[in-house]
Amino acid sequence: MATPQAIITGNRDERRTLIVVFLRGGADGLSLVAPIEDDHYYRARPRIAIKKADAVPLDDRFGLHPNMRPLEAAWREGDLAIVHACGIEEIADGTRSHFEAQDSMEHGGVAAGGWLGRFLRTRPAPISGALACVAVGKSLPECLLGAPSVTVMTSLNDFALGGESGTLRNQLERLYAMETGQLGAAARDTFDAIRRIDAMRSEKYMPGNSATYANDEFSTGLMQLAQLIKGDMGLEAASIDLDGWDSHFTQETLVNPLSTRLAAGLSAFRQDLGERMKTVSIVVMTEFGRTVQENSAFGTDHGRGGTMWVLGGGVQGGRIHGDWRGLGQLEARGVSTSYEDLPVLNNYRNVLAPVLLRHGGHTADFEKVFPNFSLAPLPLYA
């Protein structure tokens, strides 16, 4: 029996929704957003570079991976912003462990709990409720540690009490009907949430605006988040992963299908929500990028600078934000010059900060969210 872990929020759809997509494994930003006008790129990757003729042109420097074409409309319509040369500045040369990098990024530095969990807790009006914060998957991501409440679920079917008969739920409702105050209100909200989820499950979900979701875990997870948003369940924050990006060998065999899933899922979600995307922000991030130089196995190794994406309402999209110095100014690996890295010119926290401001955060609280870091938020919003 799946057990709700907290109570449903009473906010319904009054607040905005922030969704964090983590590309685990170190996604190659130089393939997803290729510097197709930089000759250094093609010299460093003679076999695996994205061909200029195949790329989806973004501006006079970059092009999207051809499998990311479903997101071209979001870029052209100003709903998608990209930050290149992005990542964790403080991880020095030699520290390229997936686990260490993910841990540092999800914790927002050396701090207890996760950056998103601390944000949700330190806001002027902290959220509460099982369906106010959802992690799609089998485990709680580090970024949500310390959140007021989180429900971890692989599907909406996980949010239930007592199976289909409802006997246990009815007994609990009678029990908590005698409670007053916050406990009674919490219980009533929980039972209301379960009934509404039951109603969702009783009918086949029909995405809006003729959107079509692919039949994979990532797209299915996004579709269920869309259901919660459109069902006014009070969803304010969510996380979902797309893993498998560790492309040491034959990189194309990994990046091609994963980039297809990423673009298809995000595009379908955006089309499904339509006008409601104005109140939704999606942040796409990864623990680090890949080496600029391809290796002998037609792949790339753990690097430094990667990419982050922000999709949704209010963002100044259709442009690459942040510092970019080209591939002529790389970061050497200590004494070795065999492989050079794209440096981290834009700290990931300076990408997250303006998004959090849009979702009710205050700069006065950011010392708690990102302790011991001097923020310089990028101007992602007007």
Side-chain angles (χ1 to χ4, degrees):
M1 179 184 70
T3 304
Q5 297 172 307
I7 60 171
I8 186 173
T9 177
N11 293 322
R12 305 296 189 202
D13 61 342
E14 295 174 359
R15 295 182 185 267
R16 294 167 175 168
T17 302
L18 169 59
I19 299 173
V20 178
V21 176
F22 208 106
L23 309 181
R24 298 193 184 273
D28 180 28
L30 293 173
S31 287
L32 298 180
V33 186
I36 56 176
E37 298 295 341
D38 193 327
D39 291 339
H40 294 91
Y41 176 62
Y42 294 100
R43 286 196 291 269
R45 299 184 172 195
R47 299 170 297 180
I48 68 168
I50 302 301
K51 296 177 181 178
K52 182 177 178 180
D54 295 337
V56 180
L58 298 178
D59 57 15
D60 58 357
R61 298 174 296 174
F62 296 100
L64 276 182
H65 190 287
N67 292 1
M68 306 289 285
R69 190 173 294 277
L71 289 174
E72 182 179 13
W75 175 267
R76 302 295 173 205
E77 294 167 17
D79 290 339
L80 173 63
I82 297 172
V83 183
H84 224 312
C86 185
I88 309 170
E89 291 169 313
E90 55 268 43
I91 288 190
D93 181 77
T95 306
R96 289 176 171 81
S97 160
H98 293 292
F99 304 106
E100 290 182 13
Q102 289 178 20
D103 188 69
S104 177
M105 184 172 279
E106 291 194 278
H107 282 258
V110 181
W115 65 266
L116 185 51
R118 290 194 300 274
F119 167 72
L120 297 174
R121 187 170 291 281
T122 58
R123 280 178 21 174
I127 68 169
S128 62
L131 296 177
C133 184
V134 170
V136 179
K138 296 179 180 179
S139 60
L140 178 68
E142 295 285 309
C143 70
L144 282 170
L145 290 178
S149 64
V150 187
T151 287
V152 180
M153 62 183 185
T154 56
S155 76
L156 295 179
N157 292 329
D158 293 342
F159 194 81
L161 269 178
E164 296 182 1
S165 68
T167 301
L168 175 61
R169 185 177 67 196
N170 293 335
Q171 292 173 344
L172 288 173
E173 283 196 76
R174 288 195 295 271
L175 175 64
Y176 280 96
M178 297 181 288
E179 293 287 344
T180 60
Q182 292 185 349
L183 180 60
R188 286 187 289 275
D189 284 341
T190 299
F191 296 129
D192 177 57
I194 294 172
R195 281 191 291 270
R196 297 173 69 199
I197 293 294
D198 284 345
M200 286 184 182
R201 286 194 292 257
S202 67
E203 297 182 7
K204 182 179 179 181
Y205 178 63
M206 300 299 294
N209 306 304
S210 302
T212 301
Y213 288 92
N215 187 26
D216 59 70
E217 288 185 1
F218 181 66
S219 284
T220 300
L222 287 175
M223 182 176 69
Q224 292 184 112
L225 292 179
Q227 286 181 263
L228 293 177
I229 294 170
K230 293 167 67 176
D232 297 336
M233 300 299 296
L235 182 67
E236 296 196 55
S239 72
I240 183 171
D241 291 349
L242 180 58
D243 58 15
W245 295 87
D246 198 13
S247 53
H248 292 284
F249 309 99
T250 56
Q251 179 163 297
E252 289 184 354
T253 62
L254 286 177
V255 173
N256 285 354
L258 286 171
S259 58
T260 297
R261 286 180 216 160
L262 176 63
L266 294 177
S267 176
F269 180 88
R270 175 177 180 264
Q271 184 175 344
D272 185 5
L273 260 66
E275 285 295 306
R276 294 197 72 150
M277 275 300 296
K278 292 179 179 179
T279 62
V280 175
S281 299
I282 300 177
V283 175
V284 182
M285 57 199 302
T286 190
E287 65 263 36
F288 45 59
R290 315 294 298 187
T291 52
V292 177
Q293 182 82 30
E294 67 181 44
N295 63 29
S296 60
F298 297 87
T300 53
D301 299 313
H302 300 177
R304 294 274 280 127
T307 58
M308 287 182 68
W309 307 36
V310 179
L311 172 68
V315 73
Q316 294 193 77
R319 56 184 287 192
I320 306 289
H321 290 260
D323 193 5
W324 172 261
R325 301 172 189 175
L327 299 185
Q329 302 180 47
L330 300 180
E331 181 179 272
R333 292 189 170 209
V335 298
S336 173
T337 57
S338 298
Y339 290 102
E340 294 180 308
D341 290 322
L342 180 66
V344 174
L345 303 175
N346 305 289
N347 192 284
Y348 72 100
R349 285 167 285 202
N350 290 328
V351 181
L352 295 174
V355 179
L356 297 185
L357 286 172
R358 179 171 174 80
H359 286 262
H362 293 280
T363 54
D365 297 321
F366 280 174
E367 172 57 31
K368 299 176 183 177
V369 179
F370 302 117
N372 304 313
F373 181 76
S374 297
L375 283 170
L378 293 178
L380 298 180
Y381 297 91

